[in-house]
Amino acid sequence: MMSCDAAAEHSAQVRDHLISQINAAGGWLSFERFMDLALYAPGLGYYSGGAEKLGRDGDFTTAPEVSLLFGACVAVQCAEVLRSLGCGSILEIGAGSGRLAADVLARLERQAQLPERYSILEISADLRQRQRGYLEKRLPHLLDRVQWLDRPPEEPFEGLILANEVLDALPVARFRWHANAVEEMGVAIQEKEFAWAARPADAAMTKICDELFKASGGWEDRGWDDGYVSEYCARVAAWTQAVTQPLRRGAVLWFDYGLPRAQYYLSERHEGTLACHFRHRLSHDPFANIGLQDITAWVDFTRVAEASRAAGFELAGFTTQAHFLAGLHIDEEMRLAAGSDENQFARLANQARQLMLPGEMGERFKAMAWLRDLDMPLSGFTLLDLRHSL
Ligand SMILES: C[S@@+](CC[C@H](N)C(=O)[O-])C[C@H]1O[C@@H](n2cnc3c(N)ncnc32)[C@H](O)[C@@H]1O
């Protein structure tokens, strides 16, 4: 963990950088740009800075950080696809600490189904280094199969693309709704502090908000109150197109927390879905702990579905994390990982509960599968089919 002094100094640098960007833009930055800089400004943003981010010593925890069982089940799903293709490679996007990569590779090795190559597309140079260090320690004999990328691969490949909790970290646009006008929420400086500042939305944002309003049941008198605030991820279409483009044949698996559109933009969720994490404390204030906290927004899975379909994929499954893991026999993975060690079995059983219980990560988190030039059933998506909800 960074010392308090170093953290305060880092935060002050990020703040100064953001203030200079706001001033250079004439006193107002869209929230999307603000979030982009706060998270990813090279060397400064939350993901680019040097602090521990994931796990017990970081700010938040993810399914791979909770348990190796998540990666084991993902690996079993990958093995089905790799077997059906004859072989192939895996591209993981946004690999965090590197734990998911290590758990997937270790389980695939046990199954004699290693991918030809395991590529990691990671935006943060600091995390690329941490991932390499982690994999060097855990799986030194497999390191020559792993490569790190800072942009999507140029060579086409067959296999799979995986991303856990990356979609929620893509910068979002924020809007405020009125019956006869839409405003874009941005960030200005007031009395030396960041402050929300609204501007009339342009035609593109107004059109998107009208569609969201309609999808929420807005024209049927169940609509939003005046001043309803929420977010959407405008860049997900272009991003999905870019990162999935090299996959000639195979599957894409998205894991994240979020909802289909009709459940996302409900009138009661009138302050949006921004969630910020700092040392395992949740807040909804993106201006606090600047550069030191994660900023996320729930994923609108209907938007991800539109983006994935436009990128040329067929929807193969959409389910909860709990049903995904159960469909891949997480109970058998627990036995396999624990062997005859009863204490380890009890620890894994606790972790499985955290991954699967509805009040924990089981329902809020979803798994989504897309196929290109491949038609096959996927075991993780057989128990509960939520595709109709998209
Ligand atoms: C919330 S963390 C999740 C990490 C990991 N997948 C896990 O589940 O523990 C988000 C990760 O996505 C990376 N990331 C965010 N935007 C990205 C992008 N556009 N391209 C590649 N990686 C990105 C971050 O640097 C970080 O590694």
Side-chain angles (χ1 to χ4, degrees):
M1 208 184 270
M2 260 192 209
S3 74
C4 285
D5 285 353
E9 197 183 314
H10 179 75
S11 185
Q13 278 176 7
V14 182
R15 208 180 116 83
D16 288 350
H17 180 64
L18 278 161
I19 289 173
S20 73
Q21 294 291 310
I22 291 172
N23 288 336
W28 187 91
L29 266 194
S30 70
F31 179 70
E32 183 176 354
R33 181 73 185 129
F34 179 89
M35 180 169 167
D36 204 352
L37 291 167
L39 294 181
Y40 305 112
L44 284 176
Y46 174 72
Y47 282 105
S48 323
E52 191 80 48
K53 292 161 252 300
L54 291 102
R56 220 178 20 204
D57 296 334
D59 301 299
F60 59 95
T61 199
T62 59
E65 300 294 324
V66 168
S67 180
L68 63 83
L69 293 169
F70 181 77
C73 291
V74 171
V76 173
Q77 186 62 91
C78 290
E80 268 183 18
V81 174
L82 293 173
R83 248 195 320 275
S84 161
L85 289 171
C87 196
S89 294
I90 296 178
L91 169 65
E92 183 185 348
I93 308 172
S97 68
R99 214 168 270 259
L100 179 61
D103 292 338
V104 167
L105 281 166
R107 182 66 182 87
L108 287 174
E109 184 177 36
R110 195 162 182 166
Q111 214 167 329
Q113 193 74 61
L114 277 169
E116 285 159 24
R117 195 163 265 291
Y118 195 103
S119 305
I120 295 180
L121 170 60
E122 173 55 65
I123 198 172
S124 158
D126 172 59
L127 284 176
R128 283 200 293 273
Q129 228 173 24
R130 285 171 188 263
Q131 293 154 11
R132 181 184 288 278
Y134 183 75
L135 282 156
E136 241 162 26
K137 261 200 225 134
R138 263 199 60 191
L139 299 168
H141 61 293
L142 295 182
L143 208 60
D144 59 352
R145 268 173 214 263
V146 185
Q147 67 170 356
W148 278 266
L149 307 170
D150 60 3
R151 67 195 66 170
E154 274 161 26
E155 285 290 298
F157 71 98
E158 296 192 356
L160 294 109
I161 295 180
L162 312 173
N164 186 60
E165 284 211 52
V166 180
L167 295 166
D168 70 73
L170 297 180
V172 289
R174 191 161 160 96
F175 67 86
R176 186 158 67 194
W177 170 266
H178 305 283
N180 49 12
V182 179
E183 292 172 309
E184 176 165 11
M185 302 302 288
V187 186
I189 310 291
Q190 266 175 24
E191 294 173 8
K192 298 188 183 161
E193 299 292 336
F194 297 122
W196 290 109
R199 278 190 171 180
D202 64 13
M205 178 177 256
T206 303
K207 182 166 178 279
I208 289 173
C209 293
D210 281 347
E211 285 161 9
L212 299 179
F213 181 64
K214 203 166 148 195
S216 74
W219 306 118
E220 295 153 24
D221 260 11
R222 297 188 274 125
W224 304 336
D225 285 341
D226 193 63
Y228 181 93
V229 170
S230 195
E231 301 82 28
Y232 63 86
C233 184
R235 64 179 66 187
V236 78
W239 184 82
T240 302
Q241 172 71 37
V243 296
T244 61
Q245 203 256 335
L247 184 69
R248 196 170 40 203
R249 186 158 181 251
V252 177
L253 300 177
W254 304 123
F255 303 95
D256 224 306
Y257 67 100
L259 293 164
R261 184 170 298 155
Q263 296 163 32
Y264 187 117
Y265 294 98
L266 295 183
S267 52
E268 56 264 38
R269 206 168 285 123
H270 55 90
E271 289 181 341
T273 69
L274 289 184
C276 308
H277 302 95
F278 175 64
R279 299 193 184 151
H280 295 275
R281 281 199 302 272
L282 170 70
S283 89
H284 302 286
D285 180 3
F287 305 150
N289 303 306
I290 202 79
L292 303 177
Q293 71 172 3
D294 192 20
I295 307 173
T296 68
W298 288 16
V299 173
D300 167 2
F301 274 104
T302 304
R303 187 168 293 279
V304 178
E306 289 162 354
S308 308
R309 198 168 286 118
F313 290 84
E314 297 279 333
L315 179 60
F318 180 51
T319 193
T320 67
Q321 178 168 294
H323 287 91
F324 174 79
L325 298 174
L328 292 159
H329 304 288
I330 189 170
D331 48 334
E332 287 172 19
E333 292 305 315
M334 272 161 55
R335 270 178 243 292
L336 193 67
S340 56
D341 182 341
E342 288 304 316
N343 290 333
Q344 172 66 346
F345 188 84
R347 270 193 296 275
L348 290 171
N350 266 336
Q351 295 167 5
R353 276 193 279 278
Q354 201 176 332
L355 293 175
M356 296 182 77
L357 283 177
E360 301 266 358
M361 302 176 92
E363 255 178 27
R364 205 159 25 105
F365 284 77
K366 310 287 191 305
M368 189 180 232
W370 293 86
L371 294 175
R372 176 181 270 165
D373 198 14
L374 187 66
D375 187 10
M376 60 177 290
L378 299 169
S379 296
F381 298 87
T382 47
L383 292 183
L384 178 70
D385 185 356
L386 294 177
R387 282 179 292 182
H388 63 276
S389 66
L390 289 166

